[in-house]
Amino acid sequence: MSTENEGNEGTAAEAVPSVPSAPPVPADAPQGPPGSTPASTPAPVAEPTTAAATPMAPVPETPPHAPHTPHAAHAPQSAAEANWPPPPAVPAYASHGAGGGDPVWGAPPQSYAPEGQRRRGMGGLVAAVAAAALIAGGIGGALGYWAADRNGSGSTTVSASANPQDLKRDPGTVAGVAAKALPSVVTIDAQGGDGEGGTGTGFVYDKEGHILTNNHVVASAADSGQLTVTFSNGKKYGAEVVGRAQGYDVAVLKLKNPPSGLAPLALGNSDQVAVGDSTIAIGAPFGLSNTVTTGIISAKNRPVASGDGSGGSNSYMSALQTDASINPGNSGGPLLDARGAVIGINSAIQSTGSSVGQTQAGSIGLGFAIPINQATNVAQQLIKTGKPVYPVIGATVTMDEKTGGAVISDQGADGTAAVSKDGPADRAGLRAGDVITRFNDTAIDSGPTLIGEIWTHKPGDRVTLTYKRDGRTATAEVTLGERNGDS
């Protein structure tokens, strides 16, 4: 993409009358004595030239990234009671963001023509324009003074407020919401003991100093590393991990010496969000802290799987989709509604793919957030016990896409039974080979979609599964069980 200098394209400069080298002589003026030198003739003016627009150098495209700036691969959880294969080709997190280099900005190339190639007469044109400008200025000044003198007063101007910050923004505007929320949003710098790390975002969860963010933002520094939290006013605080859930991609930090007067962000109800609702995302894309972007809710219950590509650590969510610009470094930041209440945690983006040497992608208007209702349940459990609790149906399903549902596998991990004996699915009469097509009222098209829906609930919730067996459709009432921890 290139930009051009504006205001001088395609229009030739108007010719400016030349300035006589000597005052004109009246017709009846006496002639000079014989032999006197006649008045010099006006110097010719160079032909006007057209100033062509000069294109700026194209700005290099930033290598593709996903929402979290360079970071060791986060390690979300494997499937309930089974080792899951790598996630399907759906939006990936930016947990492996590229690096700490400064952005490269394009600059307009400067071209210089050799002295000998400059058009003759250019100096005359510049001089003529300058002279005409001075003359016009003098005439304008005289006329202005004459008009002011006749009217008995000078010119009158109207001034705006002395400072832009003096303008009051309505609380319902984006500026009003951002001004209130920014002091409660933090930039997280995670540095692992092995030198790996990156930048992400979080927000104040309670007055005790707990910070809510993504697991993949802090994973590299969770065991042996350093976490630093920076507020919008520039003040920095050390932090430690209270607990993290790989499968949910949620983590809770605690400030080591929390300041007084912490203002937690208000939490909304993600179940009540509607497609088309306004959204505001706050984060640190590519390390640019306190960045605010806007958009709408583009879709709900969007099945999203992500992982490090090794198949050993995967995350699943039934996400809120938004077109608010989300980039590496936005991970863990709040997705707000028009009132400023948190409705989600920004976590992933869809990528168009990467080129050779590129490992991340930037925003293309497809961002995904963990619904805040789910994140809150996880955060409360992490603060209470330090470990996540996952609801399960007690059956292993395949991770294949486009199977028309979630297919219960023939066997589980390490050759165990696919349907756990006396587990929720077993008690409901489900068997290996059954294809689950609905979870309550939500259509299920694959294993990852089913897991994402299960994890929006709590252990003990009673749900209805619709499944197919031997060409026939049946339903089963299942009370969700639980599994503690990520291992």
Side-chain angles (χ1 to χ4, degrees):
M1 173 178 170
S2 63
T3 57
E4 297 184 273
N5 298 325
E6 297 178 352
N8 60 353
E9 300 100 323
T11 304
E14 295 182 3
V16 180
S18 60
V19 180
S21 59
V25 180
D28 56 352
Q31 300 295 322
S36 62
T37 304
S40 59
T41 58
V45 178
E47 289 296 325
T49 60
T50 301
T54 303
M56 293 180 65
V59 179
E61 295 184 1
T62 305
H65 292 71
H68 165 229
T69 292
H71 197 273
H74 64 281
Q77 174 63 28
S78 38
E81 288 90 42
N83 287 328
W84 298 337
V90 288
Y93 289 115
S95 52
H96 315 292
D102 294 330
V104 178
W105 297 92
Q110 298 182 7
S111 58
Y112 297 91
E115 190 67 27
Q117 295 182 6
R118 297 181 181 175
R119 293 189 179 182
R120 295 182 178 180
M122 183 60 71
L125 173 61
V126 173
V129 171
L134 290 173
I135 293 172
I139 295 174
L143 291 176
Y145 177 81
W146 175 79
D149 185 61
R150 285 180 59 87
N151 294 331
S153 62
S155 61
T156 302
T157 60
V158 178
S159 298
S161 175
N163 298 307
Q165 55 266 34
D166 293 338
L167 298 175
K168 293 183 178 180
R169 270 74 177 183
D170 186 87
T173 62
V174 174
V177 170
K180 184 177 181 180
L182 278 168
S184 300
V185 179
V186 299
T187 300
I188 300 172
D189 180 43
Q191 296 299 324
D194 56 0
E196 292 189 17
T199 301
T201 307
F203 59 93
V204 178
Y205 179 71
D206 58 27
K207 293 183 178 181
E208 286 67 44
H210 289 109
I211 303 295
L212 196 54
T213 186
N214 282 140
N215 172 67
H216 76 262
V217 169
V218 301
S220 65
D223 297 326
S224 59
Q226 183 176 2
L227 290 167
T228 304
V229 169
T230 305
F231 282 79
S232 60
N233 60 7
K235 293 185 177 180
K236 299 178 182 292
Y237 299 86
E240 58 187 1
V241 175
V242 171
R244 54 196 187 96
Q246 296 175 342
Y248 294 120
D249 196 22
V250 172
V252 176
L253 308 182
K254 179 74 161 56
L255 299 179
K256 293 181 178 179
N257 296 296
S260 60
L262 285 175
L265 288 181
L267 304 181
N269 186 343
S270 51
D271 290 340
Q272 296 179 349
V273 170
V275 173
D277 282 351
S278 297
T279 59
I280 301 171
I282 304 180
F286 299 101
L288 301 174
S289 301
N290 310 318
T291 295
V292 178
T293 57
T294 62
I296 62 169
I297 292 293
S298 305
K300 295 180 61 176
N301 303 318
R302 188 70 79 191
V304 175
S306 64
D308 60 4
S310 67
S313 54
N314 305 315
S315 284
Y316 295 86
M317 72 178 90
S318 183
L320 297 175
Q321 180 182 325
T322 181
D323 66 348
S325 182
I326 297 174
N327 287 286
N330 275 108
S331 284
L335 183 68
L336 309 175
D337 63 15
R339 304 168 303 160
V342 183
I343 55 176
I345 300 178
N346 300 317
S347 301
I349 60 174
Q350 173 68 56
S351 169
T352 56
S354 59
S355 302
V356 176
Q358 297 179 339
T359 58
Q360 293 184 325
S363 174
I364 58 172
L366 292 174
F368 303 95
I370 302 168
I372 194 60
N373 289 10
Q374 176 183 351
T376 299
N377 292 336
V378 178
Q380 291 172 347
Q381 190 66 42
L382 293 176
I383 292 173
K384 182 179 179 180
T385 68
K387 294 182 179 181
V389 175
Y390 296 93
V392 297
I393 63 171
T396 300
V397 295
T398 66
M399 295 293 104
D400 297 333
E401 290 189 90
K402 300 180 180 179
T403 54
V407 182
I408 298 180
S409 304
D410 293 332
Q411 62 180 17
D414 301 323
T416 60
V419 179
S420 302
K421 185 175 177 58
D422 294 327
D426 186 37
R427 291 193 294 268
L430 293 173
R431 305 177 195 167
D434 288 346
V435 181
I436 300 172
T437 57
R438 298 191 74 83
F439 181 93
N440 288 335
D441 295 327
T442 302
I444 300 300
D445 59 5
S446 66
T449 303
L450 175 63
I451 296 168
E453 285 300 317
I454 292 173
W455 286 357
T456 62
H457 290 69
K458 296 179 180 179
D461 286 352
R462 192 168 180 82
V463 299
T464 301
L465 299 182
T466 301
Y467 63 95
K468 290 182 178 181
R469 179 189 298 167
D470 299 328
R472 290 178 295 180
T473 300
T475 60
E477 297 295 320
V478 177
T479 300
L480 298 177
E482 71 176 52
R483 176 170 55 80
N484 292 292
D486 282 309
S487 58

